[in-house]
Amino acid sequence: MMQTRIGYGSTKAQVSLCYNQEVPRRFHRFFIIVIPDAWLLYHKVEIQVLWEEVYPCLMRYGHFYSFMTSDDRLSNHQVIINLRSMNNILSFDKVSGILVCEAGCILENLISFLDNEGFIMPLDLGAKGSCQIGGNVSTNAGGLRLIRYGSLHGSVLGLEAVLANGTVLDMLGTLRKDNTGYDLKHLFIGSEGSLGIVTKVSILTPPKLSSVNLAFLACKDYTSCQKLLSAAKTKLGEILSAFEFLDINAMDLVLKHLDGLRDPLPSSKHNFYILIETTGSTESHDKEKLEAFLLQSIESGLLTDGVLAQDINQASAFWRIREGIPEALMKAGAVYKYDLSLPPEKMYDLVEEMRGCLGAEANVVAYGHLGDGNLHLNISTRQYDDSILTKIEPFVYEWTSKHRGSISAEHGLGLMKANKIHYSKSLETVQLMADIKKLLDPNGILNPYKVLPTSVLPQRGEEEPKKEA
């Protein structure tokens, strides 16, 4: 039996304190929290205890609670591995812009470090003050500027991971080009800790450019939003760094529930709001280019109103509206959240159909990364109600599947959506994923019941599922 104390420098009291501070009451059935430093993860005996005793291990990077959703199918002897002590920046090359750090580094701390060096992180999230880079990589987090810098599959050059049996897999390369064999790091990017524990990351960071402009705009309908996106890609080209949208329901919710925020366009209400950010190297050129684009868009009828941020404080206030939507939703009451990828022309059709299904029973709120085809669909109600949920699911998944979308754009499947994976992936693809999982984690101790459905993964005491002929 594993001892109550595990890991270097952790006493029972320290573990108990961490447990009470960091785990919500509804998760208080877990056995222990482990806060490893590098010593633990390289001391194979400790990891092998978990392997040999078949203790379920649930990874935690910052406040990524999707990793640790409680489930009665799991035993009480569970371990949460929190990597917050592994928070060192190991190296930074100013010529190449390549950063190497440990997985427990808070994203906002990395952003601050790079800012002093004249660089930026290729991703930026509303949760940057609490999330850790290991969790960002493990969930393949997208963020606000994916339209400019792409996903972490392109930015992460290498990583180090600890497998379920304690093997340390060193893939911490810093090369832009390396075609020697299979690029195995991609297995761990977006696999939500189910294949291994990401402990170090090397990531390519772009230089910090001096010219940043932000516009808060209004459109009369969703078709205008789509046309504006197409025009922005053509007219703004290389300086376009973000294209976000929110509908009137999201705007009203933020203004109602968040203190200190004001409507940037107070003269009238608008059906849709757009944030366009540009980033370049020449302030006069970039601003002139953006202003000409906005003037043309107003003259053509794509925009009904808009304002350019005049300073960093106003820009921060604009971003606060967009990034504050999740907080406003939580303050409004119960919320059903869906993170979907869809063809941009279809995104808002789902929102309107959902409103038709629910009527006055719920407030259907839509916002997201229009430039990436990523819709954050949120159904806000006063309290959770099974009768409302039955109207939402499986409708939202079936609709997304019908239009060849993804039921998990950037937030991951976790426990709640693992058995829904077939809405986005074929049976053959899911079975191959299960084969990889069984190869790397045959005892199924890493984030069990997450990502993959139970239909393709045998659990302890169960027989191997039979493959269809």
Side-chain angles (χ1 to χ4, degrees):
M1 177 64 68
M2 185 177 64
Q3 300 298 311
T4 310
R5 173 194 165 291
I6 180 171
Y8 181 71
S10 294
T11 66
K12 183 175 180 179
Q14 288 170 336
V15 168
S16 176
L17 177 63
C18 171
Y19 178 85
N20 291 326
Q21 286 180 335
E22 299 199 3
V23 182
R25 289 187 180 277
R26 64 193 180 102
F27 296 129
H28 273 192
R29 61 193 305 277
F30 289 112
F31 182 59
I32 190 172
I33 291 180
V34 181
I35 310 177
D37 61 7
W39 184 91
L40 168 64
L41 291 179
Y42 299 129
H43 198 283
K44 278 192 164 186
V45 175
E46 299 285 5
I47 294 298
Q48 285 174 341
V49 168
L50 306 177
W51 167 261
E52 292 163 3
E53 297 284 349
V54 198
Y55 280 92
C57 301
L58 297 98
M59 273 56 72
R60 175 155 187 236
Y61 300 90
H63 293 293
F64 276 63
Y65 281 113
S66 60
F67 283 137
M68 39 186 285
T69 306
S70 183
D71 183 22
D72 289 334
R73 291 171 294 186
L74 298 177
S75 72
N76 285 321
H77 294 163
Q78 300 168 49
V79 174
I80 301 170
I81 300 178
N82 188 320
L83 277 76
R84 72 180 187 189
S85 295
M86 299 185 66
N87 55 13
N88 296 306
I89 294 172
L90 303 177
S91 67
F92 179 68
D93 187 324
K94 290 186 177 182
V95 175
S96 64
I98 296 173
L99 172 74
V100 181
C101 64
E102 293 178 333
C105 291
I106 300 292
L107 178 59
E108 190 168 46
N109 294 344
L110 294 179
I111 291 173
S112 297
F113 169 82
L114 289 170
D115 183 66
N116 292 330
E117 300 291 335
F119 287 78
I120 64 171
M121 285 294 285
L123 77 159
D124 191 355
L125 311 173
K128 55 182 172 286
S130 59
C131 66
Q132 296 170 8
I133 189 63
N136 301 147
V137 171
S138 295
T139 56
N140 189 27
L144 301 169
R145 295 179 178 87
L146 189 141
I147 190 174
R148 174 70 171 266
Y149 301 113
S151 79
L152 289 176
H153 277 291
S155 299
V156 173
L157 301 180
L159 55 80
E160 177 187 85
V162 178
L163 301 184
N165 65 358
T167 299
V168 178
L169 201 59
D170 183 0
M171 302 174 289
L172 199 63
T174 58
L175 303 176
R176 296 288 300 276
K177 293 183 177 180
D178 182 6
N179 285 338
T180 51
Y182 305 127
D183 199 349
L184 296 178
K185 70 174 181 287
H186 292 292
L187 287 176
F188 300 89
I189 301 173
S191 59
E192 300 181 49
S194 63
L195 300 180
I197 306 170
V198 174
T199 53
K200 293 179 183 177
V201 176
S202 64
I203 187 167
L204 182 65
T205 67
K208 178 183 177 182
L209 301 179
S210 58
S211 170
V212 180
N213 294 287
L214 183 66
F216 195 95
L217 312 169
C219 294
K220 62 182 179 181
D221 53 39
Y222 184 69
T223 299
S224 297
C225 295
Q226 295 178 72
K227 291 180 179 179
L228 188 68
L229 171 61
S230 180
K233 289 179 177 180
T234 302
K235 303 295 184 180
L236 300 178
E238 78 287 352
I239 64 172
L240 180 64
S241 54
F243 195 103
E244 300 289 301
F245 95 103
L246 57 149
D247 66 7
I248 188 172
N249 290 25
M251 185 67 166
D252 288 344
L253 201 72
V254 167
L255 295 177
K256 179 179 179 179
H257 291 285
L258 298 188
D259 296 332
L261 290 184
R262 294 186 298 175
D263 188 345
L265 306 172
S267 59
S268 62
K269 291 289 186 180
H270 304 275
N271 292 327
F272 294 91
Y273 298 89
I274 300 289
L275 279 87
I276 291 181
E277 181 190 74
T278 64
T279 306
S281 57
T282 307
E283 176 67 28
S284 58
H285 168 269
D286 296 347
K287 194 166 186 177
E288 180 181 342
K289 193 171 186 177
L290 178 58
E291 288 175 344
F293 165 74
L294 296 178
L295 178 60
Q296 186 179 28
S297 299
I298 290 174
E299 291 174 346
S300 65
L302 293 182
L303 291 177
T304 54
D305 202 354
V307 59
L308 270 174
Q310 297 303 306
D311 53 43
I312 191 170
N313 292 328
Q314 192 173 21
S316 296
F318 291 174
W319 276 122
R320 174 63 176 144
I321 292 172
R322 165 60 182 84
E323 294 181 331
I325 299 173
E327 181 184 347
L329 283 161
M330 295 299 292
K331 290 184 176 182
V335 58
Y336 299 92
K337 292 175 170 286
Y338 300 90
D339 168 47
L340 310 169
S341 276
L342 288 163
E345 68 273 13
K346 296 291 184 181
M347 278 174 53
Y348 211 73
D349 291 346
L350 173 58
V351 179
E352 293 175 335
E353 289 195 35
M354 185 59 67
R355 285 180 179 147
C357 291
L358 296 175
E361 291 184 271
N363 180 22
V364 180
V365 175
Y367 68 100
H369 317 293
L370 186 58
D372 315 332
N374 183 184
L375 170 67
H376 295 315
L377 175 68
N378 292 261
I379 292 89
S380 176
T381 62
R382 285 187 293 179
Q383 60 187 16
Y384 291 106
D385 187 331
D386 288 342
S387 65
I388 292 178
L389 182 58
T390 57
K391 293 181 181 180
I392 302 172
E393 298 180 14
F395 172 78
V396 67
Y397 298 126
E398 292 172 345
W399 199 99
T400 301
S401 179
K402 177 183 176 181
H403 294 88
R404 297 188 64 81
S406 170
I407 66 168
S408 176
E410 62 179 359
H411 292 169
L413 291 166
L415 174 68
M416 296 179 66
K417 296 180 182 177
N419 287 323
K420 309 290 194 306
I421 191 173
H422 293 295
Y423 285 107
S424 294
K425 293 291 186 287
S426 69
L427 291 172
E428 295 80 8
T429 301
V430 173
Q431 185 57 57
L432 181 57
M433 293 179 188
D435 292 341
I436 294 171
K437 168 70 171 176
K438 285 179 278 189
L439 175 66
L440 296 181
D441 181 18
N443 287 345
I445 69 169
L446 297 179
N447 273 355
Y449 298 101
K450 307 296 197 315
V451 184
L452 295 176
T454 54
S455 60
V456 297
L457 284 178
Q459 306 301 323
R460 283 181 292 168
E462 299 178 1
E463 295 182 0
E464 180 89 11
K466 293 182 180 180
K467 295 182 180 181
E468 296 182 7

